[in-house]
Amino acid sequence: MAKILLIGNGAREHAIAWKIKASPLLTGLWMWPDHPACSSLINTPTNLGPTATHTEIADFCKMTKIDAVIVGPEQPLSTGLANILENFGIPCFGPQQDGAQLESSKSFAKDIMTDAKIPTAFSREVKTETQCRKEAIAILKTGKPVVLKASGLAGGKGVFVCFEEDEVEVALIRLYENMSEAAETVLVEDFLEGRECSFFCLIGKDSYTPLGFAVDYKRLQNGDEGPNTGGMGSYTPVSWLPADAQKRVLAEVVEPLLKTLKYKAIPYTGFLYVGLMWHPKIGPQVVEFNCRLGDPEAQILAVADQRDWLAMILKHLGLHSEPLESPNEDLKPTAGVVMSSLDYPYGEGKPGRSAELPLELFAHQRNRQVFAASVKFAENHTVETGKGRVITCVATAEDLDTAAQRAYHLVETVQEFWPDSHFREDIAQNHK
Ligand code: AMP
Ligand code: GLY
């Protein structure tokens, strides 16, 4: 039986809250920062302001007798929330600052992958724009694309895949003018061929539980055109992967990673996200690690997975010792479509008119669920849409084509309230 504080107020955390709310082990749920679309899932608001410090969060946990904290986003982990909670003796599902570097420093992640002999793209670290341009152009001259990556956190917007010199120049402006802190170190990386997917695990001190694979649609526009985004849609399961895909990722990536972290005395408890490029001959190659679930992958996995995530999380924190019920581990065919404001991802151009969405939209319907981020309280049981990726429409069915159709029906419903929204029309259309 557990009282949980869930950190984060995105659509991913909406999905985690919705998922753990269904667990018989949950006795109380709090969320910080406030999530206006989750008011029916939580006990009471925390009374912590939006800028609460890690210590204030820990104090709240003590006062409210929170049994465990689950951290959704990477940012509080990279600034040491789990370290502070540990000092207060509060179990935290999410790594401490050193483990969180798997995501907060692409350069750290690359070094760990090299040490652990995890298959990944070769990369060079550069510290200046001039050096970056030189290395990138040298790779383009070999006839291959090049990938430029800000080493620090950039909200999913710090990676540029460039096929031509013009694209390198655009990337250099973004990196060195718009995100100079994250781009203090830049990785100039070889381009990996293959098909992209991600793999998710819950990691505990001495064990882990695989959640499964999902495909995310990173580009803004249909047909994988336009800039990279945080993710415009997702589906699971991934039937185009070979039958032994999970076995291979565990053996070639997850286990060597955990072994190397242990060897380096870096403890790791929490979500693990493995971004992969799957090559038909080579198999899995790691694009990135994150210390959180994906967004929108979390939204579809929460709906697709029939297991009790809270029970699994508590077990990995050593707070639940009963054997876990093991219902069907198969993920139900599930698709999710993201709806964003019109100025996403760079805040350029007009955002479009915001909309007031009725709270009933977020009530669970059979096989369908709408999740929200970036909304604020409005009058008459509505929330007002903000900027960025706001809504994820998720649906399940016996097969993925029907799941996608259902998700798009949900999109139509939301669109009636929010016509000035952007979404891709081809999510889960090429899943075979
Ligand atoms: P990341 O933030 O590292 O996941 O990168 C964002 C996206 O850029 C990935 O999801 C891939 O689509 C693409 N990408 C990153 N690194 C590479 C690479 N080495 N080769 C090909 N594509 C890449
Ligand atoms: N959807 C990709 C991510 O969460 O990074």
Side-chain angles (χ1 to χ4, degrees):
M1 294 298 168
K3 286 163 86 172
I4 299 291
L5 171 67
L6 173 62
I7 304 289
N9 63 352
R12 168 186 46 218
E13 290 77 26
H14 188 173
I16 297 172
W18 173 82
K19 183 72 174 164
I20 66 177
K21 181 74 179 170
S23 170
L25 297 175
L26 188 83
T27 48
L29 176 63
W30 284 260
M31 285 177 86
W32 179 85
D34 288 341
H35 193 319
C38 291
S39 37
S40 68
L41 303 174
I42 60 161
N43 279 38
T44 48
T46 59
N47 290 330
L48 288 165
T51 56
T53 62
H54 295 344
T55 307
E56 285 165 347
I57 294 171
D59 279 335
F60 168 82
C61 292
K62 278 284 176 206
M63 261 163 36
T64 318
K65 299 197 166 50
I66 293 290
D67 294 294
V69 176
I70 300 174
V71 185
E74 67 283 5
Q75 202 272 345
L77 296 169
S78 74
T79 52
L81 174 60
N83 304 60
I84 301 279
L85 292 171
E86 156 118 348
N87 292 345
F88 278 70
I90 301 156
C92 176
F93 197 70
Q96 297 190 10
Q97 219 167 0
D98 47 2
Q101 287 180 94
L102 271 190
E103 173 160 3
S104 65
S105 164
K106 285 186 190 286
S107 149
F108 171 88
K110 218 24 131 184
D111 289 345
I112 293 267
M113 284 190 259
T114 309
D115 288 351
K117 300 197 170 45
I118 292 171
T120 184
F122 182 74
S123 81
R124 311 109 189 112
E125 274 186 22
V126 295
K127 296 281 184 191
T128 65
E129 185 177 344
T130 314
Q131 217 187 342
C132 188
R133 180 179 289 105
K134 193 169 147 226
E135 294 283 357
I137 289 174
I139 295 176
L140 285 181
K141 289 229 158 84
T142 67
K144 294 193 177 134
V146 62
V147 185
L148 304 184
K149 295 186 171 185
S151 176
L153 291 179
K157 296 174 204 156
V159 175
F160 303 87
V161 180
C162 308
F163 293 83
E164 288 167 19
E165 284 189 30
D166 288 359
E167 291 169 319
V168 169
E169 290 306 324
V170 173
L172 290 172
I173 292 172
R174 295 260 182 236
L175 285 164
Y176 290 95
E177 285 178 23
N178 304 4
M179 52 183 91
S180 50
E181 202 178 321
E184 209 172 292
T185 301
V186 171
L187 304 192
V188 181
E189 194 163 289
D190 289 352
F191 179 78
L192 292 172
E193 309 256 358
R195 216 166 157 183
E196 198 168 353
C197 63
S198 14
F199 182 72
F200 300 89
C201 267
L202 307 180
I203 309 286
K205 191 159 164 275
D206 301 307
S207 62
Y208 61 82
T209 307
L211 291 183
F213 290 95
V215 167
D216 178 26
Y217 288 75
K218 309 260 181 195
R219 300 296 186 121
L220 184 66
Q221 307 290 0
N222 296 339
D224 292 331
E225 301 280 339
N228 262 329
T229 69
M232 297 305 296
S234 186
Y235 67 82
T236 193
V238 185
S239 61
W240 50 262
L241 284 168
D244 63 351
Q246 177 159 314
K247 208 166 135 209
R248 285 198 62 182
V249 175
L250 294 177
E252 294 171 38
V253 180
V254 175
E255 289 184 3
L257 170 70
L258 297 181
K259 212 166 134 192
T260 304
L261 287 173
K262 205 166 208 168
Y263 178 75
K264 291 179 179 284
I266 299 174
Y268 195 100
T269 301
F271 299 110
L272 176 70
Y273 167 141
V274 185
L276 291 166
M277 199 63 84
W278 201 284
H279 189 278
K281 293 210 181 86
I282 304 168
Q285 290 180 285
V286 174
V287 174
E288 62 165 345
F289 288 121
N290 295 315
C291 55
R292 54 179 172 83
L293 291 180
D295 179 348
E297 295 93 320
Q299 291 90 301
I300 57 151
L301 287 170
V303 175
D305 197 337
Q306 295 158 68
R307 294 170 294 177
D308 180 340
W309 281 9
L310 182 60
M312 300 194 292
I313 288 172
L314 292 174
K315 182 166 172 273
H316 285 307
L317 286 172
L319 298 174
H320 182 64
S321 51
E322 307 281 313
L324 296 180
E325 275 182 52
S326 45
N328 194 347
E329 285 189 12
D330 291 342
L331 298 169
K332 290 190 277 181
T334 306
V337 181
V338 169
M339 302 174 75
S340 71
S341 57
L342 300 180
D343 61 346
Y344 182 71
Y346 294 122
E348 288 165 1
K350 292 208 171 95
R353 274 167 306 156
S354 65
E356 284 177 11
L357 306 177
L359 279 170
E360 301 96 77
L361 207 58
F362 307 109
H364 184 59
Q365 309 164 48
R366 206 170 112 74
N367 303 326
R368 282 153 227 236
Q369 181 65 46
V370 178
F371 297 111
S374 181
V375 288
K376 55 182 194 210
F377 288 109
E379 285 177 355
N380 302 325
H381 301 285
T382 63
V383 290
E384 188 187 336
T385 58
K387 290 206 203 185
R389 293 182 299 156
V390 179
I391 292 294
T392 315
C393 295
V394 180
T396 63
E398 290 305 307
D399 60 84
L400 257 179
D401 292 328
T402 317
Q405 269 170 21
R406 284 184 183 157
Y408 277 107
H409 279 147
L410 276 178
V411 169
E412 279 170 25
T413 311
V414 177
Q415 243 195 327
E416 281 172 25
F417 296 98
W418 189 26
D420 279 3
S421 50
H422 166 76
F423 58 91
R424 274 181 66 155
E425 289 158 2
D426 59 350
I427 304 302
Q429 304 300 301
N430 55 344
H431 59 82
K432 298 211 171 81

